[in-house]
Amino acid sequence: MASAGLENGPGPSHSRRGNATGMKCTRCRLPAEVQLRQHNAAFCRECFILHFRRQVERAIRKQRMFAADEEVLVAVSGGKDSLGLWDVLHELGYRTTGLHLSLGIGEYSEHSARKTAEFAEKQGLPLITLDLSRQETDVSVPRVVAFTRRPPCSACGILKRHYFDQVAVERGFSVLATGHNLDDEAARLLGNVLHWRADYLARQRPVLESTHEKFVRKVKPLFRCSEYESAVYAFFRGFDYVVEECPNSTGATQLLYKDLLNRLEVVSPGSKLAFVREFLHHGHAGFITAPVPPPTACESCGMPAYGELCSFCRLIREVETRRKRRNQAGS
Ligand code: SF4
Ligand SMILES: [Zn+2]
Ligand SMILES: [Zn+2]
């Protein structure tokens, strides 16, 4: 986690007490504690918090993510991004409820659930927690992976998408916000561009509108905020969040792309923001071709599907089939 006296990118280092180089806050001229080279600005603690919240506010307004009176379901993992997002939305006056999925990934999941619950209690915010190992079929990530041999993140993605929609629909929410930040979006964009995945590029937006009654609008209010800014916000606000990464994330291609983009950012500050912003302004429209047919209803669970069964029910079927086969072989 970054310390105070914060600077992203190269240049003179700053002491923990900040302002070792006499930098002034761009906004109020008091001693600055953090320098944001991509914005060509430096901020004191108070002005940074304001800057961060304004970035989020601007993203919500410009991208028409949700209305002021709409209640937002916030997907919270216990990490700095999702807890920061929840905090900002609450501070901006939105009505919010957190949704935490307990994925069953050992200590990582236990810490995540604990930090999320502590945060919710401290802020007095409502939280829904869903333990995947306690569903009709135990669908904790390690168990699904053990039965299906799918890559963990692929199985986890299917489970998250399903339960996010299911909980939102059951509880009457029309919008779900996730804590994806600028670094996540830039890395995803780079991956999609490197492989020219035209259909993925067509869907890479900070707002994904609902195309089915059981498919809620998905929004990413932090898409303009870098991971660094998100870490600084959490630090300045004094959050206690899960610092360790999910053990399944090591070696993910996404991390390689993030590293490449960070190296680019060092020599050319603002590259990440420009890459994502200009794609949305000028590139994205070029990838929208014929309208994608809306999903139908899954024959088993009624959730959106592009075939007889949704990807979640196909996954469950796979788990159940292999479990039965193993049991038969063992008996
Ligand atoms: S790294 Fe993969 S398995 Fe871990 S939480 Fe993220 S998507 Fe799920
Ligand atoms: Zn200031
Ligand atoms: Zn289904």
Side-chain angles (χ1 to χ4, degrees):
M1 165 66 227
S3 64
L6 303 142
E7 180 189 18
N8 63 337
S13 61
H14 299 258
S15 76
R16 278 188 64 85
R17 285 182 288 278
N19 202 38
T21 57
M23 258 191 319
K24 294 262 194 292
C25 172
T26 309
R27 193 170 161 269
C28 73
R29 310 310 297 163
L30 282 172
E33 279 191 68
V34 55
Q35 184 183 13
L36 300 179
R37 295 179 75 226
Q38 76 272 32
H39 294 292
N40 202 14
F43 294 112
C44 68
R45 191 168 289 222
E46 210 173 291
C47 292
F48 174 81
I49 290 174
L50 199 69
H51 152 83
F52 191 82
R53 288 181 183 157
R54 279 193 179 157
Q55 291 268 91
V56 177
E57 211 174 2
R58 193 169 158 205
I60 295 169
R61 198 183 58 244
K62 283 198 120 188
Q63 299 290 331
R64 297 189 183 151
M65 292 186 175
F66 40 84
D69 59 353
E70 217 171 344
E71 189 168 1
V72 185
L73 186 62
V74 187
V76 277
S77 66
K80 64 183 185 319
D81 301 308
S82 55
L83 292 185
L85 169 64
W86 200 7
D87 179 77
V88 172
L89 295 182
H90 174 61
E91 291 294 323
L92 289 174
Y94 290 101
R95 281 184 303 135
T96 57
T97 293
L99 168 59
H100 178 77
L101 299 186
S102 195
L103 305 171
I105 308 175
E107 273 191 16
Y108 166 74
S109 287
E110 284 163 26
H111 287 169
S112 304
R114 195 166 60 243
K115 301 277 181 198
T116 306
E118 283 168 5
F119 179 88
E121 200 185 332
K122 205 168 160 193
Q123 307 270 26
L125 290 167
L127 172 68
I128 301 164
T129 300
L130 203 76
D131 187 338
L132 298 196
S133 67
R134 298 208 176 151
Q135 301 309 300
E136 204 178 312
T137 298
D138 173 347
V139 282
S140 54
V141 172
R143 187 172 187 268
V144 171
V145 170
F147 279 122
T148 64
R149 301 218 180 100
R150 286 190 191 222
C153 296
S154 146
C156 185
I158 293 173
L159 296 166
K160 280 182 184 168
R161 281 192 291 278
H162 174 81
Y163 286 111
F164 284 166
D165 274 322
Q166 193 191 61
V167 172
V169 169
E170 279 176 9
R171 307 279 185 130
F173 291 90
S174 53
V175 57
L176 176 108
T178 56
H180 293 96
N181 60 38
L182 175 65
D183 293 49
D184 298 323
E185 290 308 289
R188 187 169 159 221
L189 180 57
L190 181 60
N192 287 340
V193 166
L194 284 175
H195 298 95
W196 289 114
R197 295 186 188 114
D199 49 340
Y200 286 19
L201 286 163
R203 288 200 303 267
Q204 182 152 0
R205 303 280 306 166
V207 179
L208 212 57
E209 290 296 344
S210 166
T211 50
H212 185 280
E213 58 176 4
K214 291 187 175 175
F215 181 74
V216 296
R217 191 181 337 127
K218 313 285 184 324
V219 297
K220 299 172 183 173
L222 297 188
F223 85 99
R224 296 178 57 92
C225 306
S226 69
E227 195 160 328
Y228 174 80
E229 288 170 279
S230 179
V232 175
Y233 183 79
F235 180 76
F236 282 172
R237 293 282 292 153
F239 296 158
D240 190 13
Y241 61 85
V242 189
V243 180
E244 69 256 43
E245 299 284 344
C246 170
N248 296 323
S249 69
T250 52
T253 324
Q254 192 86 344
L255 292 182
L256 173 67
Y257 295 153
K258 281 189 178 180
D259 183 46
L260 287 171
L261 288 160
N262 281 336
R263 284 197 241 165
L264 181 63
E265 189 76 16
V266 168
V267 285
S268 176
S271 294
K272 277 187 251 183
L273 186 56
F275 184 41
V276 171
R277 192 186 52 210
E278 297 312 312
F279 165 73
L280 294 174
H281 283 173
H282 306 294
H284 178 261
F287 292 94
I288 301 172
T289 48
V292 182
T296 52
C298 169
E299 286 180 7
S300 174
C301 72
M303 295 299 281
Y306 291 95
E308 284 175 18
L309 293 178
C310 70
S311 41
F312 172 77
C313 288
R314 284 202 303 269
L315 187 71
I316 296 286
R317 205 163 268 193
E318 216 177 309
V319 171
E320 288 298 344
T321 311
R322 303 228 177 156
R323 188 181 60 82
K324 277 179 202 150
R325 258 191 233 149
R326 256 189 225 183
N327 286 352
Q328 280 161 3
S331 60

